Amino acid sequence: MSGLLDGVTVLDLASVGPAVRASGWLADYGASIIKVAPVPRDAGTQIIPKAHYYSGGRGTRTVQIDLKAPAGRDAFLRLAENADVVIESFRPGVVARLGIGYDDVKSRNPRIVYCSTSGYGQTGPRAQGAGHDVNYLAVSGFLATGERGPADKPMIPGATIADSAGGGLQAVAAILAALVGRERTGEGAYLDVAVADGMLALMSLQIDDVLATGTPQLPGSAPLSGRYACYDTYRCADGEYVAVGAIEAKFFANLCNALGVPECIEHQMADAAQDPIRVKIAAAFATKPRDAWVAELAGADTCVSPVLSATEVAADPAVAARDGIATAHPAAGDDFPQLAPMLAGAERASRYELPGRSTTDTDAVLAECGMTPEEIKVLRDEGAVA
């Protein structure tokens, strides 16, 4: 693959989570990703995702190194001498104990950009705490923002927002900024990427409002969290839903006129009128199937869109029109479709070769950093690499 990050080499020590998403997106921008995986006897200590997860590892090569073995640690540091970026997602303190932390790598390569991704950061009272996506959504205030579900429970979103946007994209942005800064200073950087911090950034609209006004944010009280009928979802005649985002007065007027409820226009932001408005809008949408409404309102500036399932998105002509679907060709097995690189500036192709899981690139990658076949054989005989 080629792209904006041609010539940038990334060592990725993670197998799942934000770090893997970050390295996958960096690969889509053209970086060369080297996945540093455990040797087979330690493989059970890490989660092994399905073969097609995380873009199937496109743009990625794999080396297997036992980082607990002194020879394996030294092999990793040899690789790091020629790398631009290291991404790791161990618990805080682990890489330092292994002898592959930022200070260890920096002593061999002062230009390294070293990105540690974790749930709660390298410092602070939660630093050593275990967590997953829902935990970071919880402590950032995200879960408490919207309408409550059954039994008045906070509703869990069906996508890993924290790992992806709070962590993975934050890591990508930080790495790119550090690479740009390195061109000016000649020095790399250490990046402490916390998923919970990234979620705070995503929650800035709500949290800044609390800080500035002191007004509590109750579930559904914010303008974009279900408070108003002009920003909500509605069930259609076929049981499917549409999403309405007609916040601006002109869009709401267009919607009300199209639905035959013009009397609602002047009461758009009146809190006392929201329930009656919702009833009228809901009754109108209930008269036709979802796709009929979407077709009828297309081009009418009403901010109405269909609520699509993942299955529908995969077959959506709009996605195909943006070259959003590519063909993946795994090293073993049949071709299958997958999402193409979707971030702006990432080059898209119609077909991608994916690495195989039964083989590694250990010998080739170690040779590229100057190791002789004899040195690699010694490492393999010792069980330090595979």
Side-chain angles (χ1 to χ4, degrees):
M1 297 177 66
S2 62
L4 298 173
L5 292 181
D6 274 358
V8 172
T9 298
V10 178
L11 302 182
D12 178 8
L13 289 161
S15 61
V16 294
V20 177
R21 288 172 171 85
S23 66
W25 285 321
L26 293 172
D28 287 342
Y29 279 122
S32 173
I33 309 299
I34 299 174
K35 179 77 66 178
V36 181
V39 295
R41 66 174 177 272
D42 290 336
T45 65
Q46 292 195 13
I47 297 172
I48 301 178
K50 293 182 180 179
H52 57 272
Y53 281 8
Y54 306 113
S55 303
R58 63 183 177 225
T60 300
R61 294 185 294 167
T62 299
V63 297
Q64 291 181 326
I65 300 178
D66 181 1
L67 296 172
K68 295 179 180 179
R73 176 201 62 215
D74 292 342
F76 173 81
L77 292 175
R78 285 278 294 272
L79 288 176
E81 289 177 1
N82 298 308
D84 298 284
V85 179
V86 171
I87 305 178
E88 63 92 6
S89 60
F90 293 101
R91 287 207 192 187
V94 171
V95 288
R97 290 197 297 272
L98 290 172
I100 58 169
Y102 175 59
D103 290 338
D104 303 296
V105 175
K106 183 183 178 182
S107 68
R108 311 276 285 264
N109 179 1
R111 289 173 56 82
I112 198 70
V113 172
Y114 198 107
C115 179
S116 293
T117 68
S118 63
Y120 301 108
Q122 301 299 301
T123 60
R126 294 191 176 110
Q128 292 296 330
H132 279 295
D133 207 88
V134 68
N135 304 112
Y136 315 132
L137 297 180
V139 300
S140 67
F142 182 92
L143 283 186
T145 57
E147 293 286 352
R148 295 298 182 99
D152 199 35
K153 290 175 57 177
M155 297 182 68
I156 298 176
T160 52
I161 297 170
D163 276 358
S164 298
L169 283 176
Q170 182 195 182
V172 169
I175 288 167
L176 296 181
L179 290 173
V180 172
R182 188 180 71 176
E183 293 303 304
R184 184 183 72 256
T185 66
E187 296 184 358
Y190 179 72
L191 306 172
D192 176 6
V193 171
V195 181
D197 290 352
M199 284 306 304
L200 290 180
L202 297 180
M203 286 292 296
S204 62
L205 208 63
Q206 290 82 3
I207 295 173
D208 282 348
D209 187 62
V210 171
L211 292 171
T213 68
T215 304
Q217 286 260 342
L218 301 175
S221 65
L224 303 186
S225 64
R227 178 176 177 178
Y228 297 114
C230 62
Y231 199 88
D232 209 339
T233 57
Y234 293 93
R235 184 182 176 95
C236 299
D238 57 352
E240 300 294 338
Y241 285 80
V242 292
V244 174
I247 286 289
E248 291 83 358
K250 63 179 181 180
F251 296 144
F252 187 64
N254 291 341
L255 176 65
C256 291
N257 287 326
L259 296 180
V261 290
E263 67 275 13
C264 296
I265 295 174
E266 62 179 304
H267 305 294
Q268 179 183 5
M269 297 300 178
D271 285 320
Q274 294 310 302
D275 286 344
I277 292 175
R278 274 195 179 85
V279 169
K280 291 184 177 183
I281 293 178
F285 276 121
T287 63
K288 298 177 185 178
R290 180 195 69 186
D291 293 346
W293 275 119
V294 171
E296 182 174 328
L297 297 174
D301 276 350
T302 58
C303 297
V304 171
S305 58
V307 176
L308 301 176
S309 67
T311 301
E312 290 175 306
V313 171
D316 187 359
V319 175
R322 295 280 294 170
D323 299 322
I325 306 298
T327 298
H329 176 63
D334 298 328
D335 289 3
F336 58 85
Q338 68 174 188
L339 275 178
M342 296 307 298
L343 298 184
E347 294 188 2
R348 298 179 188 177
S350 60
R351 184 178 178 84
Y352 294 91
E353 301 293 326
L354 301 185
R357 287 199 165 189
S358 59
T359 59
T360 71
D361 306 285
T362 301
D363 287 24
V365 171
L366 293 179
E368 289 171 8
C369 73
M371 286 192 181
T372 65
E374 291 75 20
E375 288 177 306
I376 297 172
K377 183 178 185 302
V378 170
L379 290 174
R380 182 168 280 107
D381 290 344
E382 293 179 356
V385 303

